[in-house]
Amino acid sequence: MGPSGSGKTTLLNILSGIDRATSGEVIIDGQDITKLSNDQMALFRRERLGYVFQDFNLLDSLTLQENISLPLILDRRSPEEIEHRLGPLMALLSIAELKDKYPYHLSGGQKQRAAAARAVVNDPAVILADEPTGNLDSRSAHQLMEMLTSLNERLGSTILMVTHDPFAASFCRRVIFIRDGQLEFEIRTAGERKPFFDKILEAQSVLGGKPL
Ligand SMILES: Nc1ncnc2c1ncn2[C@@H]1O[C@H](COP(=O)(O)OP(=O)(O)OP(=O)(O)O)[C@@H](O)[C@H]1O
Ligand SMILES: [Mg+2]
């Protein structure tokens, strides 16, 4: 969490190798990804990483279903397997009936859910999500957070999420506040969501009261 312009998207872009940092290292699974070649980086992103972009990044020329299956198609999975994976995921996110529509026919919330589905369709080891609940109503936001929680618990995927929303943040184990590109403060959950939610609100009000 952190104010607009504090560097949240920049951090995710560096962790995913979209941007190269001018200094420092990024260690994922014991590997410094800043040392990978462009080809190795592309493979790492395709096989290990899911990214829910702040502005969705859906391809306008592909249907919703094609957009979501893209990581599997690139990975040369069979049409049966793709079908098998997409069905339940799209149903869970309430976008099954939109599968043949193109992104420009969809609302922001529908695009966001499609972007989330695409990011998790190959069960990535690491999921980076930039404001994944930003355009969702509270029910859809709740469903998405439960889906991410279950990926974390079921598959052990590591999830790093940017959010302005204390409710979404309360599903996490650890919340890091950044400002002007620096880690400012961090809090960890004791396990229960509701007390953590209150703790996040409190931290936000204290940090928000600070002069910039
Ligand atoms: N490609 C770029 N080149 C140079 N500066 C950039 C670039 N992208 C972002 N910045 C600057 O880096 C800083 C951090 O931007 P970033 O997009 O990471 O913020 P953010 O925390 O994601 O904000 P928001 O909550 O509005 O999405 C800002 O000052 C921004 O203007
Ligand atoms: Mg951003």
Side-chain angles (χ1 to χ4, degrees):
M1 304 185 95
S4 188
S6 58
K8 305 182 297 295
T9 298
T10 302
L11 176 63
L12 296 192
N13 286 349
I14 287 173
L15 296 181
S16 58
I18 291 171
D19 287 339
R20 297 247 177 205
T22 41
S23 65
E25 357 176 72
V26 178
I27 312 281
I28 298 180
D29 260 354
Q31 192 172 31
D32 182 359
I33 62 154
T34 61
K35 302 244 158 57
L36 297 180
S37 69
N38 286 343
D39 284 354
Q40 288 171 320
M41 194 65 204
L43 194 67
F44 164 78
R45 271 209 292 269
R46 205 171 78 208
E47 290 183 345
R48 313 291 317 276
L49 197 81
Y51 196 137
V52 188
F53 292 90
Q54 193 166 17
D55 51 6
F56 319 126
N57 266 14
L58 297 172
L59 298 176
D60 283 332
S61 56
L62 300 183
T63 65
L64 204 66
Q65 172 157 288
E66 289 163 346
N67 263 288
I68 297 171
S69 40
L70 208 53
L72 301 177
I73 293 169
L74 291 172
D75 216 21
R76 300 203 171 83
R77 309 287 184 92
S78 71
E80 293 75 32
E81 188 190 345
I82 292 177
E83 185 85 37
H84 184 73
R85 287 183 156 254
L86 248 58
L89 187 58
M90 292 179 84
L92 178 72
L93 290 165
S94 316
I95 47 175
E97 67 283 8
L98 304 172
K99 68 186 177 67
D100 297 321
K101 298 235 187 269
Y102 289 87
Y104 50 83
H105 287 134
L106 305 173
S107 74
Q110 290 166 336
K111 282 192 267 202
Q112 193 146 42
R113 280 178 276 158
R118 183 187 54 190
V120 304
V121 74
N122 57 347
D123 296 336
V126 180
I127 297 166
L128 304 175
D130 204 343
E131 288 280 357
T133 63
N135 285 279
L136 301 183
D137 59 71
S138 56
R139 189 170 148 265
S140 306
H142 202 142
Q143 282 171 347
L144 182 65
M145 288 316 301
E146 286 189 334
M147 184 189 77
L148 292 176
T149 303
S150 109
L151 280 174
N152 172 255
E153 288 171 353
R154 205 162 41 83
L155 301 173
S157 306
T158 298
I159 302 172
L160 181 64
M161 175 180 80
V162 168
T163 185
H164 285 108
D165 178 7
F167 173 77
S170 70
F171 283 81
C172 303
R173 296 208 181 88
R174 180 178 174 200
V175 178
I176 298 169
F177 294 87
I178 65 174
R179 181 187 293 268
D180 298 331
Q182 301 285 332
L183 196 158
E184 187 175 36
F185 188 64
E186 95 168 71
I187 50 177
R188 285 168 192 261
T189 185
E192 293 290 310
R193 201 177 59 72
K194 183 64 177 83
F196 194 45
F197 175 75
D198 294 336
K199 213 164 141 186
I200 294 164
L201 284 184
E202 193 190 317
Q204 270 191 319
S205 68
V206 173
L207 296 171
K210 261 194 174 179
L212 281 174

